[in-house]
């Protein structure tokens, strides 16, 4: 069988996750990782993985079926996705919700001009959560959508705590309120007047020697936007405990629609994730969708698309007969 | 706006559900209900609904965009779906899993010959559960699938109890074992050696005068296939209590995949439903997919398809711009 040839552009947590995920998908092979750093300094998870400089990418046009873009949404992807879509079919995880329409149009133009297919904003939110939001709204047109995140690690909030003077190491978990979750799952359709009723924030902090617990805690809790609008708990722990218990990147949450089909009948649909590793799961989703991009591009489809445009049958390695017999 | 013109073929619980669902979807209109009974004897939910005999259906070829088939899977749909697919785009809820490949091929042939599009086996299982089984297997290739049904009314098992001598009214609920559910959601990947460990059956029975409780209970619990393989509880209640508490048709359940992306990282994805009315929800799904069938047939697609072949964007009334801006 001819394998689907994958490239990884950018080698942080997400790139490493894609490298790991490809090993779980025998119909795929990893051509290599592309990095802005000196390729010689990169230690890959699998020894045999090839590492190239990003300056070499234009020589690889015919050697890669789908390039998976693993850069950040703030500054990398707005530039990299259109650039790469001029040479390759691509998949990215652009997650700045407000800018998705702009990003879509930028990528669509280049991809169409070069007859490439570009899937943007893949992963779990945007991604699988988007898929379920759209599905739920369609099958339950009268109802209310809810999204809860956590319990999970927030990278942005952890960074914010780490920037405080006196903090050596820190991690922040977003935790939904069980009582709010219960009401939502029970179909009570609560209206939350602020985020404070939906989730709270839990920090685990290792202090520098001589740093003041009270001052750090105050600075965290009063930080505008990040912590001030929420109830926040701060635990000061030892470095040993931190290194033992707080190095994973768990996350999860759920999309739920609470609707009615007639006056008396409540109907609730929910899609939930409980993830030990957020980047590894996101990567695994990107890889499955790379398969779909490969198949659809073979059929001549080009331009920009999202997960909403892709039939689930394109994601699997199963034949139509296998799906009809075993999955449906 | 030109509305999508829907027909309902068969007018039981499902047909009534479709009639109700169309009211929730302003881009659709109900042309009428087709019944094998005398149309004059049919009392529809909405007074204005037209009722036709099935002998009139061939005169309506140009008046209906999608016919939703609401007959049973045992004997109705194997005949009706191919027959109707010779004249209309159709949606059915054929749910005899073992016969889906055969049904697909029968319908596919007729639909292709007549340039019609036919979506088979829609609803929630097969249907939305199938969609998530395929999705989960693709994004978590290493893992185990679980399906739990309930707490919900089993129509087949309720019928079986009602056929017992001395039983006036009866209803059976399928109930998952909480401890099994907990293990699965916790990622323990339990292996269940029999269905007895997964769910139990709860019956509420109204007896005829002079019927013997002990005999009826014994007959239920020892019924082969239906009850013998399960733990079953039987409650004898008054007719008043029955008519007050046991006339709804609740159901639900979940599909869950418990997987790993690397040695250490467990990842759990779940899709769950909690339904006050099984037929109304199933109908609501059929109606959303009828919209997709309409759109895809306009694009020239024909033959048989399943939910796995349909992008979610085809289910909604939202424009591409609205999906990019608000849903994704």
């Amino acid at each position: 069988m001819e394998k689907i040839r994958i490239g990884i552009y950018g080698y942080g947590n997400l790139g490493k996750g894609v490298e790991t995920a490809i090993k779980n998908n025998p119909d795929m092979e990893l051509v290599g990782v592309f990095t802005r750093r000196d390729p010689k300094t990169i230690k890959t998870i699998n020894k045999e993985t090839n590492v190239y400089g990003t300056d070499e990418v234009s020589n690889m046009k015919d050697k890669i079926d789908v390039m998976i873009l693993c850069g950040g949404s703030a500054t990398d992807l707005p530039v990299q996705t259109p650039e790469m879509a001029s040479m390759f079919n691509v998949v990215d995880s652009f997650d700045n919700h407000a800018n998705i329409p702009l990003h879509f149009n930028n990528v669509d133009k280049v991809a169409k001009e070069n007859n490439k297919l570009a899937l943007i904003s893949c992963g779990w939110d945007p991604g699988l959560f988007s898929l379920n939001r759209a599905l739920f709204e369609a099958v339950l047109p009268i109802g209310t959508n809810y999204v809860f995140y956590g319990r999970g690690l927030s990278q942005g909030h952890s960074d914010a705590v780490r920037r405080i003077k006196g903090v050596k190491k820190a991690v922040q978990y977003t935790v939904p309120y069980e009582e709010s979750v219960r009401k939502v799952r029970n179909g009570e359709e609560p209206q939350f007047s602020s985020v404070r009723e939906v989730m709270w924030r839990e920090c685990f902090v290792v202090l520098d020697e001589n740093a003041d617990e009270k001052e750090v805690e105050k600075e965290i809790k009063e930080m505008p936007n990040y912590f001030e609008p929420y109830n926040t708990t701060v635990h000061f722990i030892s470095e040993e405990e931190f290194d033992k218990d707080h190095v994973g990147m768990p996350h999860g949450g759920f999309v739920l629609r609470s609707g009615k089909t007639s006056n008396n009948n409540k109907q609730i649909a929910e899609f939930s994730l409980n993830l030990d590793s957020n980047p590894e799961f996101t990567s695994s989703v990107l890889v499955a969708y790379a398969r779909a991009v490969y198949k659809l591009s073979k059929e001549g489809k080009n331009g920009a698309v999202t997960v909403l445009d892709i039939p689930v049958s394109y994601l699997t390695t199963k034949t139509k007969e296998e799906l009809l017999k075993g999955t449906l």
Side-chain angles (χ1 to χ4, degrees), chain A residues 84-95:
Chain A
M84 288 302 112
S86 73
M87 294 182 269
F88 302 97
N89 299 312
V90 300
V91 175
D92 84 13
S93 61
F94 184 79
D95 67 358

Side-chain angles (χ1 to χ4, degrees), chain A residues 170-187:
Chain A
V171 78
Q172 191 267 184
Y173 301 102
T174 306
V175 195
Y177 278 110
E178 280 184 27
E179 179 59 13
S180 301
V181 171
R182 192 198 57 73
K183 281 182 186 164
V184 165
R185 288 198 169 134
N186 200 32

Side-chain angles (χ1 to χ4, degrees), chain A residues 31-37 39 50-57 60:
Chain A
V31 175
V33 164
F34 295 86
T35 178
R36 286 176 292 201
R37 290 171 279 169
N50 298 313
V51 184
Y52 303 98
T54 49
D55 55 330
E56 296 177 81
V57 75
M60 307 287 278

Side-chain angles (χ1 to χ4, degrees), chain A residues 100-153:
Chain A
I100 286 175
L102 176 67
H103 186 61
F104 183 94
N105 288 334
N106 290 342
V107 175
D108 190 48
K109 189 168 174 290
V110 179
K112 280 198 175 124
E113 283 168 3
N114 293 280
N115 196 27
K116 300 295 176 192
L117 184 61
L119 172 68
I120 66 151
S121 300
C122 189
W124 59 274
D125 195 4
L128 304 189
F129 273 24
S130 321
L131 201 65
N132 282 283
R133 272 191 285 271
L135 175 67
F136 292 169
E137 284 172 13
V139 301
L140 290 172
I142 296 168
T144 308
N145 274 6
Y146 293 91
V147 186
F148 279 73
Y149 297 102
R151 183 176 189 262
L153 178 79

Side-chain angles (χ1 to χ4, degrees), chain A residues 7 14 18 29 33 45 47-48 89 106 116 127 153 156 173 175 177 187 190 206 219 223 229 237 301 306 313 324:
Chain A
L14 199 60
V18 172
E29 63 181 344
V33 164
I45 293 174
K47 266 184 272 176
E48 64 271 31
N89 299 312
N106 290 342
K116 300 295 176 192
L153 178 79
Y173 301 102
V175 195
Y177 278 110
V206 180
E219 199 166 337
M223 199 185 297
I237 60 174
K301 197 165 174 66
T306 73
S313 60
L324 286 174

